């Protein structure tokens, strides 16, 4: 969530939604003609030309795989050295939280990553303030899983309930704006609540379930950062009806300067220091805690499930399973053949889609015709609205200048 995605201002061109791609097609793989660009899928992972920026080498291996080898893998420590690094980091977290009730804060959504992290943090002997942000879309199973984790780990849970009328207004504004990332209102709410609450409680370390093993690959052209409050406010100004009085955002200055440099806050991603395997993590959660699987990624939020499996592939041709499976191929958790087989499964069983569609419309207060009319409007890019991208570029230039002058490297933000 903390990533900047400064991708070019384009959307996928005339590409079929990946869910409709037939892996057993008689056309040679990687050479299927679709509109102005040849359809091509990486020969090592399953990223394809639904990423408009993707490029392939002469062996058909994509830039995401090369970036994983060259850059991302340097921050991934699943071997024994990871444990040593993690022990060092944990010791520092404990030290920073000495004489305080909590030494870190952990956001618990009930999904696999944050649930497993909660379990690991207990074993690491940290004392987290555990927070859940209820944006109105929790599945019943998510609520039950959160209760089980908290009870098992003997954590106290703080639940922050978002003002539903404001959330609804913001989500409808995003829908009307026709941008790809409809998850921004939820994601921004989760992070901003967590950071504001950490500051209120003088907590310096934010624990994140973000991890390279299952999320190391993501096409930056698909959408911008959920933390970009300038973009969020601009979209709401254009299409919202209410004023956002209770919805707290994080500003650019807070996010990149105030929290890390003045408040000395750091984000720690412990799952990058252990051999994190999604299937093993779910098995351990089920065995130890009685946690139950959602059957699909992000099943903890009814909105995210609907958005990722219907809106995004149908309207934009983006199938989020692709970067997720590609990350797992590169981190050695699944084979490419296994990933291709997963992609053959339907994104939505028809009856489940009908139920979710009905629920979504009822919950946000629009009828089916209105929904279909809104979704049929032209796709927009997040850069059609003001963004913080220019500020970010200026920050990076300043950082490079300071580094040249001082000869030191500064990690402005994790
Ligand atoms: Zn690849």
């Amino acid at each position: 969530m903390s990533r900047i995605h400064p991708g070019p201002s384009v959307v996928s061109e005339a590409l079929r939604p990946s869910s409709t791609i037939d892996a057993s097609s008689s056309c040679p793989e990687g050479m299927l003609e679709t509109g102005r660009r040849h359809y091509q899928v990486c020969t090592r992972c399953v990223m394809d030309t639904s990423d408009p920026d993707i490029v392939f080498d002469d062996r058909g291996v994509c830039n995401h795989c090369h970036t994983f080898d060259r850059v991302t893998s340097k921050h991934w420590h699943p071997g024994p050295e990871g444990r040593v690094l993690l022990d060092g980091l944990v010791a520092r977290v404990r030290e920073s939280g000495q004489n305080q009730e909590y030494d870190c804060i952990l956001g618990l959504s009930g999904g696999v990553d944050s649930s497993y992290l909660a379990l690991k943090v207990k074993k690491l002997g940290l004392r987290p303030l555990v927070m859940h942000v209820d944006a109105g879309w929790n599945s019943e199973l998510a609520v039950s899983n959160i209760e089980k984790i908290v009870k098992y780990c003997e954590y106290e849970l703080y639940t922050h309930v978002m003002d539903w009328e404001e959330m609804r207004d913001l989500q409808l504004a995003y829908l009307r704006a026709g941008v790809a990332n409809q998850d921004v209102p939820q994601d921004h709410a989760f992070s901003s609540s967590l950071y504001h609450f950490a500051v209120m409680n003088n907590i310096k370390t934010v624990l994140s379930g973000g991890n390279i093993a299952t999320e190391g690959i993501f096409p930056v052209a698909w959408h911008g950062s959920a933390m970009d409050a300038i973009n969020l406010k601009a979209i709401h100004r254009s299409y919202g009806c209410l004023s956002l009085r209770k919805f707290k955002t994080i500003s650019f200055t807070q996010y990149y300067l105030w929290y890390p440099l003045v408040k000395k806050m750091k984000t720690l991603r412990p799952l990058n220091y252990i051999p994190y395997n999604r299937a093993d993590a779910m098995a351990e959660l089920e065995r130890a805690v009685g946690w139950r699987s959602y059957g699909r990624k992000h099943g903890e939020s009814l909105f995210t499930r609907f958005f990722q499996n219907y809106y995004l592939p149908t309207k934009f041709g983006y199938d989020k399973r692709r970067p997720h499976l590609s990350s797992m191929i590169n981190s050695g958790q699944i084979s490419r053949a296994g990933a291709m087989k997963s992609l053959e499964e339907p994104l939505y069983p028809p009856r489940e889609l009908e139920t979710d569609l009905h629920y979504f419309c009822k919950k946000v207060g629009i009828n089916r015709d209105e929904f279909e009319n809104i979704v049929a409007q032209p796709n927009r890019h997040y850069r059609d609205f003001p963004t913080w991208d220019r500020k970010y570029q200026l920050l990076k230039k300043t950082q490079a200048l300071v580094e040249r002058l001082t000869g030191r490297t500064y990690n402005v933000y994790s």
Side-chain angles (χ1 to χ4, degrees), residues 42 44-47 61-62 64-65 330:
C42 175
R44 183 165 127 189
C45 73
V46 290
M47 283 309 297
V61 176
C62 78
H64 297 293
C65 287
N330 274 284

Side-chain angles (χ1 to χ4, degrees), residues 18-285:
S18 346
S19 56
T20 64
I21 289 163
D22 177 4
S24 62
S25 164
S26 57
C27 296
E29 188 178 83
M31 290 303 290
L32 190 64
E33 179 94 29
T34 50
R36 281 175 284 171
R37 192 173 176 185
H38 281 91
Y39 178 75
Q40 191 170 350
V41 58
C42 175
T43 52
R44 183 165 127 189
C45 73
V46 290
M47 283 309 297
D48 65 1
T49 34
S50 61
D51 171 12
D53 290 348
I54 200 166
V55 287
F56 301 92
D57 68 13
D58 48 13
R59 292 176 299 125
V61 176
C62 78
N63 57 303
H64 297 293
C65 287
H66 286 297
T67 303
F68 190 93
D69 292 343
R70 210 179 54 247
V71 185
T72 318
S73 61
K74 305 285 184 286
H75 304 279
W76 182 49
H77 311 283
E81 87 287 359
R83 184 68 217 202
V84 176
L85 290 168
L86 185 58
D87 285 346
L89 292 165
V90 165
R92 266 187 265 164
V93 174
R94 283 212 199 95
E95 200 182 324
S96 76
Q98 261 179 356
N99 309 320
Q100 295 203 130
E101 192 176 358
Y102 306 104
D103 49 25
C104 52
I105 190 165
L106 187 158
L108 183 60
S109 69
V112 183
D113 301 340
S114 68
S115 298
Y116 189 68
L117 177 62
L119 208 60
K120 284 286 140 194
V121 164
K122 176 83 180 165
K123 288 182 183 164
L124 290 169
L126 291 171
R127 294 173 290 115
L129 192 168
V130 180
M131 185 176 183
H132 173 69
V133 180
D134 180 355
W137 294 97
N138 279 337
S139 63
E140 278 179 31
L141 189 50
V143 175
S144 151
N145 280 336
I146 289 168
E147 280 171 3
K148 284 176 183 162
I149 292 277
V150 167
K151 193 173 169 200
Y152 179 84
C153 297
E154 298 176 323
Y155 291 141
E156 250 180 84
L157 178 71
Y158 178 85
T159 300
H160 178 66
V161 181
M162 299 298 293
D163 181 276
W164 172 244
E165 284 310 310
E166 289 190 8
M167 272 305 293
R168 175 182 163 275
D169 193 57
L170 186 57
Q171 287 193 294
L172 275 175
Y174 265 77
L175 195 64
R176 292 192 176 108
V179 291
N181 193 1
Q182 296 289 315
D183 242 352
V184 169
Q186 276 199 134
D187 284 348
H188 197 100
F190 294 160
S191 295
S192 67
S193 304
L194 203 66
Y195 278 86
H196 290 310
F197 207 61
V199 170
M200 270 167 56
N201 287 277
N202 199 27
I203 293 170
K204 306 282 182 213
T205 307
V206 176
L207 298 180
S208 165
N211 66 89
I212 288 168
T214 67
E215 300 171 332
I217 287 179
F218 191 82
V220 294
W222 278 9
H223 59 66
S225 168
M227 297 312 299
D228 185 346
I230 293 175
N231 199 235
L232 181 147
K233 285 179 179 171
I235 287 174
H236 185 254
R237 256 198 316 278
S238 303
Y239 294 98
C241 302
L242 306 176
S243 19
L244 299 180
R245 293 180 197 283
K246 295 177 187 159
F247 189 100
K248 296 267 181 289
T249 53
I250 294 188
S251 71
F252 181 86
T253 311
Q254 281 176 318
Y255 191 63
Y256 283 109
L257 302 170
W258 180 253
Y259 291 152
L261 301 180
V262 180
K263 289 289 177 184
K264 308 282 181 203
M265 285 171 69
K266 281 194 184 316
T267 300
L268 177 60
R269 296 180 173 83
L271 300 183
N272 286 340
Y273 297 88
I274 60 171
Y276 180 53
N277 178 294
R278 193 174 160 81
D280 293 348
M282 284 198 283
E284 190 177 333
L285 282 166

Side-chain angles (χ1 to χ4, degrees), residues 11-16 34-37 49 52:
V11 293
S12 177
E13 310 169 293
L15 295 171
R16 297 182 306 169
T34 50
R36 281 175 284 171
R37 192 173 176 185
T49 34

Side-chain angles (χ1 to χ4, degrees), residues 264-330:
K264 308 282 181 203
M265 285 171 69
K266 281 194 184 316
T267 300
L268 177 60
R269 296 180 173 83
L271 300 183
N272 286 340
Y273 297 88
I274 60 171
Y276 180 53
N277 178 294
R278 193 174 160 81
D280 293 348
M282 284 198 283
E284 190 177 333
L285 282 166
E286 284 170 353
R287 196 175 54 244
V289 185
W291 183 96
R292 278 173 50 216
S293 166
Y294 301 98
R296 58 179 71 217
K297 192 162 162 63
H298 291 308
E300 67 274 16
S301 163
L302 296 172
F303 178 80
T304 306
R305 179 168 80 186
F306 179 68
F307 150 70
Q308 289 197 354
N309 297 303
Y310 178 73
Y311 176 91
L312 211 47
T314 309
K315 189 165 166 64
F316 286 84
Y318 301 163
D319 183 346
K320 278 214 166 181
R321 295 178 304 179
R322 284 191 182 271
H324 173 56
L325 290 166
S326 295
S327 305
M328 296 201 343
I329 292 169
N330 274 284

